[in-house]
């Protein structure tokens, strides 16, 4: 986990992007707070704001791409931007109003057009709105989709920075070869994995209530991979059970299901596997007094395998 940045560090980073590229691109999603920067955005001209249309005939969206070339404009909204960015470091924050910022070699119209195309996803023949730019989605995508597609999308930026509860992330594409934008058709496995993102985010939030775990040691991608394993290998489909599996995975050991005690308990108690919360109920058969021993034995076995 990366260290959360303080107000001064965030501002210095934003200012550094502005000075290097002589402009700054900011992606705002005020769907959950329509008043956020509303007056400021209303006053911008067409070369400074692009209203991202989610879909034809849909209700009005509140997703905007800002391109600011005047430093005083950035300074005017500095406090609001930093306040919202810092909220992204809060695990239980559900309002990611500032999705990221950076710079682009494209004009605002072209950039807006390219982003509009990238959010229109064909998921098993059905058109869906793909919020890839949301930090709570973007951090998982290289574990789901073809990496070349992800690079082709991020290639519309010379630089991109975004903030998540697990820290700051940056992608620097300046002076790198251009990658032609690619359309993407989602297969069934990828469609399921995209659906697992929301469950992974819920598990990530709940993981901070586990005793004995350092916050900086909790990686959201590890939780996502655990949920993938639960779904694919053990055919766990219930959301509560998937979250429970992920929490056991990070609190005890990623291979906890391989321990003889767990195997025996589940063989006795996990009978109707398709029943809601059946896995969670079955795992209650493991005494809390055993968990320390189970964890130590798995860690010991892991150490022997690595020698």
């Amino acid at each position: 986990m990366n260290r959360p940045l303080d107000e001064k560090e965030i501002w210095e980073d934003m200012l550094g992007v502005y000075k290097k590229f002589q402009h700054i691109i900011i992606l705002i999603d005020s769907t959950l707070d329509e008043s956020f920067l509303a007056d400021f955005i209303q006053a911008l001209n067409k070369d400074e704001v692009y209203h991202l249309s989610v879909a034809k005939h849909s209700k009005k969206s509140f997703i905007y791409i800002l391109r600011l070339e005047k430093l005083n404009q950035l300074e005017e909204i500095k406090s609001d931007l930093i306040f919202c960015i810092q909220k992204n470091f809060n695990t239980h924050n559900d309002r990611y109003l500032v999705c990221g910022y950076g710079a682009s070699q494209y004009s605002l119209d072209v950039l807006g057009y390219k982003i509009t195309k990238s959010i229109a996803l064909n998921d098993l023949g059905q058109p869906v709105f793909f919020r890839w730019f949301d930090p709570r989605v973007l951090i998982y995508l290289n574990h789901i989709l073809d990496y070349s597609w992800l690079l082709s999308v991020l290639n519309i930026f010379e630089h991109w920075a975004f903030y998540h509860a697990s820290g700051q992330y940056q992608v620097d594409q300046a002076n790198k070869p251009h990658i032609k934008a690619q359309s993407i058709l989602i297969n069934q496995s990828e469609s399921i994995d995209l659906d697992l993102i929301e469950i992974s985010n819920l598990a990530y939030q709940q993981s901070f209530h586990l005793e004995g775990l350092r916050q900086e040691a909790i990686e959201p991608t590890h939780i996502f991979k655990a949920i993938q394993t639960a779904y694919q290998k053990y055919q766990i489909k219930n959301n509560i059970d998937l979250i429970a599996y992920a929490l056991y995975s990070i609190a005890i050991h990623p291979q906890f299901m391989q321990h003889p005690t767990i195997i025996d308990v589940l063989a006795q108690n996990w009978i109707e596997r398709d029943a809601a919360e059946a896995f969670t109920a079955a795992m209650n058969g493991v005494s809390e007094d055993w968990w320390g021993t189970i964890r130590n034995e798995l860690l010991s076995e892991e150490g022997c395998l690595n020698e």
Side-chain angles (χ1 to χ4, degrees):
M1 175 174 174
N2 301 314
R3 175 182 60 83
L5 276 63
D6 61 29
E7 180 178 343
K8 181 181 178 181
E9 291 171 317
I10 294 171
W11 175 241
E12 288 179 348
D13 191 74
M14 297 182 75
L15 199 56
V17 171
Y18 173 83
K19 289 180 177 179
K20 180 177 180 179
F21 298 98
Q22 296 302 300
H23 73 273
I24 189 167
I25 301 292
I26 306 170
L27 205 160
I28 302 294
D29 182 355
S30 55
T31 303
L32 296 179
D33 184 357
E34 298 173 12
S35 66
F36 180 64
L37 297 183
D39 292 339
F40 176 82
I41 291 173
Q42 184 69 30
L44 295 176
N45 63 48
K46 63 182 180 65
D47 295 321
E48 296 169 329
V49 59
Y50 186 100
H51 183 202
L52 201 62
S53 178
V54 175
K56 292 181 179 179
H57 312 301
S58 68
K59 63 181 182 180
K60 180 181 178 182
S61 77
F62 292 87
I63 305 174
Y64 305 93
I65 308 166
L66 311 185
R67 181 186 174 95
L68 306 181
E69 296 185 1
K70 300 173 184 176
L71 181 57
N72 67 307
Q73 290 177 314
L74 181 59
E75 290 174 332
E76 181 180 343
I77 58 175
K78 166 186 172 181
S79 297
D80 291 320
L81 293 175
I82 292 175
F83 176 76
C84 286
I85 286 172
Q86 287 192 304
K87 287 182 68 175
N88 289 7
F89 293 131
N90 183 338
T91 312
H92 295 285
N93 173 43
D94 64 351
R95 296 187 177 192
Y96 276 56
L97 303 181
V98 181
C99 294
Y101 60 81
S104 175
Q105 65 273 39
Y106 296 109
S107 68
L108 185 58
D109 279 347
V110 173
L111 179 64
Y113 171 75
K114 287 179 176 292
I115 293 179
T116 299
K117 285 190 66 176
S118 72
I119 63 175
L121 184 67
N122 188 318
D123 187 352
L124 300 179
Q126 297 295 320
V128 296
F129 171 41
F130 184 28
R131 301 175 58 87
W132 63 263
F133 52 80
D134 188 318
R136 295 163 294 182
V137 175
L138 189 50
I139 58 170
Y140 301 114
L141 291 185
N142 63 327
H143 298 285
I144 300 174
L145 303 178
D146 186 272
Y147 192 56
S148 63
W149 178 87
L150 186 57
L151 285 179
S152 77
V153 170
L154 293 176
N155 195 241
I156 62 179
F157 301 108
E158 291 182 278
H159 180 85
W160 191 247
F162 62 96
Y163 296 80
H164 181 264
S166 56
Q168 183 204 49
Y169 297 80
Q170 296 198 46
V171 180
D172 193 352
Q173 297 280 72
N175 302 319
K176 291 187 178 180
H178 175 74
I179 302 174
K180 186 178 180 180
Q182 304 175 22
S183 59
I184 184 168
L185 298 176
I186 298 298
N187 61 38
Q188 186 171 12
S189 176
E190 292 166 337
S191 177
I192 291 171
D193 283 345
L194 289 174
D195 288 339
L196 294 179
I197 287 178
E198 183 176 2
I199 302 169
S200 298
N201 284 327
L202 291 172
Y204 181 66
Q205 289 180 333
Q206 293 189 28
S207 69
F208 287 86
H209 297 295
L210 295 173
E211 295 182 4
L213 282 182
R214 293 179 294 109
Q215 179 174 341
E216 61 271 18
I218 302 174
E219 288 287 348
T221 52
H222 293 171
I223 291 175
F224 176 74
K225 289 178 180 178
I227 289 177
Q228 276 184 315
T229 299
Y231 193 98
Q232 296 170 5
K233 183 175 182 179
Y234 296 106
Q235 300 297 300
I236 298 175
K237 305 295 175 65
N238 178 266
N239 289 359
I240 300 297
D241 286 341
L242 287 168
I243 291 172
Y245 181 99
L247 296 181
Y248 282 122
S249 178
I250 62 171
I252 308 302
H253 193 278
Q255 302 299 325
F256 75 96
M257 292 284 279
Q258 304 300 317
H259 193 277
T261 299
I262 304 299
I263 293 173
D264 289 344
V265 168
L266 291 181
Q268 296 175 36
N269 300 312
W270 196 20
I271 308 303
E272 297 182 13
R273 296 196 171 200
D274 292 334
E277 303 179 32
F279 173 78
T280 303
M283 287 296 289
N284 288 335
V286 182
S287 171
E288 290 187 13
D289 297 334
W290 300 348
W291 284 119
T293 300
I294 292 171
R295 183 174 187 276
N296 290 335
E297 289 178 355
L298 288 169
L299 288 173
S300 178
E301 181 179 339
E302 181 182 274
C304 292
L305 290 174
N306 291 333
E307 290 181 356

